[in-house]
Amino acid sequence: MTYVLTNLDFELTWSRDGSPSPIPRVVRRFSRDFQSILRLIAPDATPLPASAATGDFPAVSPGRPLLPWGWTPPVLRAAHAAGLTAHAPDLPLVQQLTSKLFSHSLEIDLGLAMDGATTVSSLDELRAATSAIPGPWLLKHPFGVSGRHQHRSPQGPPSADTLRWAQRHLANTPLVLEPLLDNIDEFSFHYELSPDAPPRFLGACDLHTSSGGTLRGLRPIPSHLAPQALRRGADLAADAASHLGYFGPLSVDTLRGQWQHSLAIRPLLEINPRFTFGRLAIALSNWLDLPPDDSLTWVHPPRADTPPPHGRPLPEEVDPSGASRTYLLPYPKNPRASRITST
């Protein structure tokens, strides 16, 4: 029997160099709402409360394995203190792979980086780099997630607000600057890595995000429907992670968009050495025993919105009482026939 822990403060913890700190209320709420979601991976598992991520474990049975959303130093220490079995990869490597500094560096090494994409370590570098981008740009913290910890501009020099934000973070880390594409579509590719075998490809998802980058919906698709240039880049990222010694779940987010009236791709938008909602959507298709060409769309509407028409909650076993406000919609036979609209 396994324990599962949905520590959605994963990136936040790594942004603090793995140090334990108070978890913001909104992150605690999401972790609580999705407390049972990893039972899609381990159906017989016992969910642990979000507070376990900072060491506040309930009574547990020593010797049982722990499966977290992602491994961080506080989670590993808490597992050891509780006597649980922790099959964790090297934590400095997890931090390295999670950082957008790594995915940016890998894009450069593979010849996949866009012109103008760079890292900045000072305000002077930021001013110079933004002046070289002939269009909108995006400035990102290495451990931002779901549209958080980033600033964007339609073009030109950074605003006073962006400079203040950048100065605060540049004291601790370089930031990633890149051209901001006009989004056409986004895809995620999902793998399981083991120490003694090549990365195992599990499937792809069509992602639907808000204008600010927050995930609002997704659906598994046959991998041949995703642009193959994006799949090739994701495969290279999985190979690189495996070569470095990482094992466990890994997902790669990718994007296709318009830049200066031309098609552009970002095959290494993010590398996630942890579970993701795309990976769980693929697991749900297996849970429901759906055929490869059929599936369900996951929808995560803003909390203030009403549930979508014809939406139904996730299975009770993984989302008791519908706490996550995640809804499933029928998946059209032509998976590009309809898209989720989000703001």
Side-chain angles (χ1 to χ4, degrees):
M1 297 290 285
T2 299
Y3 290 106
V4 290
L5 173 62
T6 312
N7 55 312
L8 297 182
D9 64 326
F10 174 82
E11 280 85 3
L12 180 62
T13 300
W14 282 122
S15 74
R16 295 164 173 168
D17 206 28
S19 302
S21 349
I23 302 174
R25 185 189 318 176
V26 65
V27 179
R28 289 201 309 269
R29 187 190 73 217
F30 279 122
S31 294
R32 182 181 64 249
D33 291 347
F34 286 101
Q35 182 172 302
S36 300
I37 198 67
L38 285 175
R39 295 187 71 192
L40 284 169
I41 305 296
D44 296 326
T46 299
L48 294 175
S51 58
T54 55
D56 185 15
F57 265 81
V60 296
S61 300
R64 288 170 59 177
L66 175 65
L67 183 69
W69 181 258
W71 287 103
T72 62
V75 168
L76 184 58
R77 284 193 296 268
H80 287 158
L84 299 180
T85 300
H87 188 53
D90 178 66
L91 292 191
L93 179 55
V94 172
Q95 182 181 27
Q96 177 187 352
L97 295 173
T98 302
S99 172
K100 293 175 180 59
L101 297 173
F102 176 81
S103 54
H104 169 74
S105 175
L106 188 58
E107 278 190 321
I108 292 175
D109 291 345
L110 296 173
L112 300 174
M114 290 189 63
D115 291 342
T118 187
T119 60
V120 295
S121 298
S122 69
L123 294 185
D124 286 342
E125 289 183 4
L126 174 60
R127 293 186 182 97
T130 54
S131 68
I133 298 178
W137 50 261
L138 180 65
L139 182 65
K140 302 192 293 189
H141 189 283
F143 294 101
V145 62
S146 196
R148 301 183 184 93
H149 302 296
Q150 63 180 34
H151 273 232
R152 58 185 64 203
S153 170
Q155 191 171 359
S159 67
D161 184 46
T162 295
L163 289 172
R164 284 191 295 269
W165 179 85
Q167 186 171 36
R168 185 169 70 253
H169 290 294
L170 285 170
N172 300 305
T173 178
L175 302 174
V176 178
L177 178 71
E178 58 195 33
L180 179 60
L181 304 187
D182 184 10
N183 191 338
I184 296 175
D185 42 27
E186 298 180 51
F187 301 89
S188 59
F189 299 89
H190 306 275
Y191 307 82
E192 184 68 27
L193 276 59
S194 62
D196 53 2
R200 181 164 59 95
F201 178 67
L202 301 175
C205 286
D206 182 5
L207 306 179
H208 307 274
T209 59
S210 71
S211 58
T214 300
L215 182 69
R216 291 299 181 207
L218 53 86
R219 55 190 170 195
I221 60 171
S223 59
H224 70 273
L225 292 178
Q228 292 307 294
L230 298 181
R231 166 70 189 276
R232 286 192 292 272
D235 285 348
L236 291 171
D239 288 340
S242 180
H243 178 74
L244 290 170
Y246 174 76
F247 59 85
L250 185 120
S251 298
V252 181
D253 290 349
T254 68
L255 180 150
R256 183 170 60 171
Q258 291 281 341
W259 174 253
Q260 301 292 290
H261 310 294
S262 298
L263 181 67
I265 61 171
R266 294 292 313 282
L268 297 178
L269 194 63
E270 286 188 5
I271 299 172
N272 295 305
R274 56 168 172 82
F275 287 105
T276 63
F277 288 108
R279 169 70 184 269
L280 296 178
I282 292 170
L284 176 64
S285 294
N286 296 330
W287 174 295
L288 299 176
D289 198 25
L290 296 175
D293 63 344
D294 200 2
S295 190
L296 292 166
T297 296
W298 289 41
V299 183
H300 301 278
R303 296 188 73 83
D305 287 11
T306 57
H310 312 299
R312 60 185 178 91
L314 292 168
E316 177 74 15
E317 297 92 333
V318 302
D319 189 14
S321 305
S324 75
R325 284 181 49 83
T326 298
Y327 303 96
L328 302 176
L329 298 175
Y331 178 92
K333 287 297 181 181
N334 175 3
R336 310 302 297 176
S338 66
R339 297 188 62 83
I340 298 169
T341 301
S342 57
T343 57

